[in-house]
Amino acid sequence: MSEVVRRVRVGGGWSRPRGGSRKSNTAPCPWGVALAPVALLSLLFLYPLALVVRQSFQPVTAYADVFSSELFRTALWTTVWIAVVSTVGCLVLGFVLALVIAFVPFPGARTVARFIDVYLSFPSFLITLALLFIYGTTGIVGSFQFLATPWGVLLAEVTYFTPFVMRPLLAAFSQLDTAQLEAASSLGARAPRIIRQVILPEALPALAAGGSLVLVLCLNEFGIVLFTGAKGVTTLPMLVYSKAILESDYPGACVVAVVNVLISVGLYGLYRVVSRRAGA
């Protein structure tokens, strides 16, 4: 009771008991806490990007010169169609392989799933180098010169990027209620119908996530195209390398780089909008 008496209202506030600790009502400003990491990120990422953008306008006709070039238009088209076809191939192959690993019992299935995680850490040129032993000029079927064609680039990209689709699919399949599969099977539904009506709807968010990631990575892929040595296959990253290193055309290289970045960021923004509306 004496404690309550001491907490007498004085001047619109409550007095504290004597000897009590005084707690500060002021909280650290969130802007002040975030200032240091934002400044660091700006220095490491935004400042170099700003330099590239500034260089792309020197001279001011750099964009007009690049856009009017037949080489740029060809590189843009080649980049888009290779990225789209590679993504479709990764989605189809990744979905089939993930189905086998997740729902078809076989010895070593768990080991294969763990190997996929390790595979994601491999550099892209390593896979292309391995394919050179098969499809290179001195490989097993090197007489066909397959790897030095656009189809060789597609094979290398599908081989390397398919696990990027399988990883989210395996995670989605692990959350799938097996009671739905057993109920559908007990009602007489065959495997294709179960896949189409039960498994595929649950896998759509994972397919969208993996497919969008693969599409952006294929748009920016440089090592695979370079190591295959494909003749006549000039993508936007290869064009940046050619203009900057071989021709010393730095404004033109910066223009192509800015276009490549805008396409990648735009695709990522579109993916975020679609995934948000889909509730992914």
Side-chain angles (χ1 to χ4, degrees):
M1 186 69 182
S2 59
E3 178 71 19
V4 177
V5 173
R6 285 199 298 269
R7 297 175 65 93
V8 180
R9 186 163 186 162
V10 179
W14 294 96
S15 63
R16 297 184 178 83
R18 292 182 181 179
S21 60
R22 180 184 298 270
K23 296 184 179 179
S24 175
N25 294 327
T26 60
C29 178
W31 289 105
V33 175
L35 183 60
V38 168
L40 181 60
L41 291 176
S42 300
L43 179 63
L44 294 178
F45 299 103
L46 297 182
Y47 178 67
L49 182 60
L51 293 179
V52 172
V53 174
R54 188 186 67 176
Q55 184 67 27
S56 68
F57 287 98
Q58 297 176 0
V60 292
T61 60
Y63 279 88
D65 296 339
V66 171
F67 289 167
S68 62
S69 171
E70 180 67 23
L71 182 60
F72 169 77
R73 292 194 294 267
T74 302
L76 179 60
W77 165 246
T78 302
T79 303
V80 171
W81 81 260
I82 287 181
V84 171
V85 175
S86 298
T87 302
V88 173
C90 290
L91 288 174
V92 175
L93 182 60
F95 184 71
V96 173
L97 293 179
L99 280 177
V100 173
I101 295 175
F103 300 109
V104 178
F106 65 93
R110 184 172 299 179
T111 303
V112 173
R114 290 178 179 176
F115 175 74
I116 293 174
D117 295 334
V118 179
Y119 187 92
L120 297 178
S121 64
F122 290 174
S124 60
F125 69 84
L126 181 61
I127 304 304
T128 310
L129 185 62
L131 292 176
L132 284 174
F133 291 105
I134 302 176
Y135 302 103
T137 55
T138 60
I140 301 174
V141 291
S143 58
F144 295 102
Q145 297 290 322
F146 175 75
L147 203 61
T149 65
W151 303 108
V153 176
L154 288 175
L155 174 64
E157 291 194 353
V158 170
T159 302
Y160 178 69
F161 289 116
T162 293
F164 287 84
V165 175
M166 296 175 61
R167 184 64 267 171
L169 280 175
L170 290 175
F173 291 160
S174 65
Q175 302 297 325
L176 186 64
D177 188 7
T178 56
Q180 301 179 17
L181 305 180
E182 296 173 355
S185 179
S186 63
L187 293 175
R190 296 183 179 273
R193 187 175 181 181
I194 294 176
I195 293 174
R196 185 176 65 255
Q197 296 185 354
V198 180
I199 298 178
L200 184 59
E202 298 292 332
L204 285 178
L207 282 173
S212 61
L213 175 62
V214 169
L215 181 60
V216 174
L217 292 175
C218 288
L219 283 170
N220 299 311
E221 180 54 42
F222 173 75
I224 288 178
V225 183
L226 180 65
F227 268 75
T228 56
K231 299 177 181 179
V233 180
T234 302
T235 59
L236 291 180
M238 285 293 295
L239 187 59
V240 173
Y241 171 80
S242 176
K243 285 184 172 296
I245 305 301
L246 303 181
E247 303 175 15
S248 298
D249 182 10
Y250 296 107
C254 291
V255 170
V256 180
V258 169
V259 172
N260 203 355
V261 169
L262 290 177
I263 294 175
S264 300
V265 174
L267 285 174
Y268 176 75
L270 180 62
Y271 158 71
R272 293 298 300 172
V273 171
V274 173
S275 62
R276 189 180 299 111
R277 292 182 177 180

